[in-house]
Amino acid sequence: MTPLDAESLKHHLAGLPGWTHHPERGAISRSFRFANFAEAFGFMAQMAAVSERLDHHPEWFNVYNRVDITLTTHDVDGLSERDITWAKAADGAYAPFQ
Ligand code: HBI
């Protein structure tokens, strides 16, 4: 697994407008809001399956209708394609709740 170079990262971040880049951590984060806890948990369940399929897992925090997610790739101590793929899948899973 290789870390994303600056040019690739800039390109990918342009397609992930809801996500914040944390260069000091080599991570991206986004906060998702839902109508209630059940919807938030349903989203997390959906993304848990994606995580297993991608072998890539988020750092996330949930309270009631809020899910805060941070993505980084431990294996490269920064961001990789897997973070981008995971973030795009999360944005796709979130779309029906918007
Ligand atoms: N999830 N976010 C994240 N980052 C990783 O580097 C990672 C992971 N899930 C599993 C995983 N790596 C495996 O490839 C092993 O490195 C544990």
Side-chain angles (χ1 to χ4, degrees):
M1 201 179 318
T2 53
L4 286 173
D5 61 53
E7 199 55 39
S8 304
L9 181 57
K10 185 178 174 198
H11 165 74
H12 285 308
L13 290 176
L16 292 167
W19 292 77
T20 301
H21 181 213
H22 305 276
E24 74 289 348
R25 223 211 116 185
I28 54 173
S29 68
R30 179 175 178 181
S31 194
F32 295 85
R33 290 289 186 286
F34 298 86
N36 52 52
F37 175 74
E39 286 196 2
F41 190 78
F43 168 80
M44 293 176 78
Q46 197 176 332
M47 292 313 298
V50 170
S51 300
E52 286 306 293
R53 198 163 60 243
L54 295 178
D55 188 25
H56 199 69
H57 305 81
E59 298 168 15
W60 52 12
F61 169 83
N62 160 247
V63 58
Y64 182 51
N65 69 328
R66 176 177 142 203
V67 181
D68 296 340
I69 296 176
T70 299
L71 295 171
T72 186
T73 299
H74 315 130
D75 294 352
V76 300
D77 198 24
L79 289 165
S80 72
E81 285 288 347
R82 289 191 182 188
D83 298 300
I84 305 303
T85 302
W86 202 102
K88 285 190 177 298
D91 287 356
Y94 184 60
F97 296 104
Q98 285 182 295

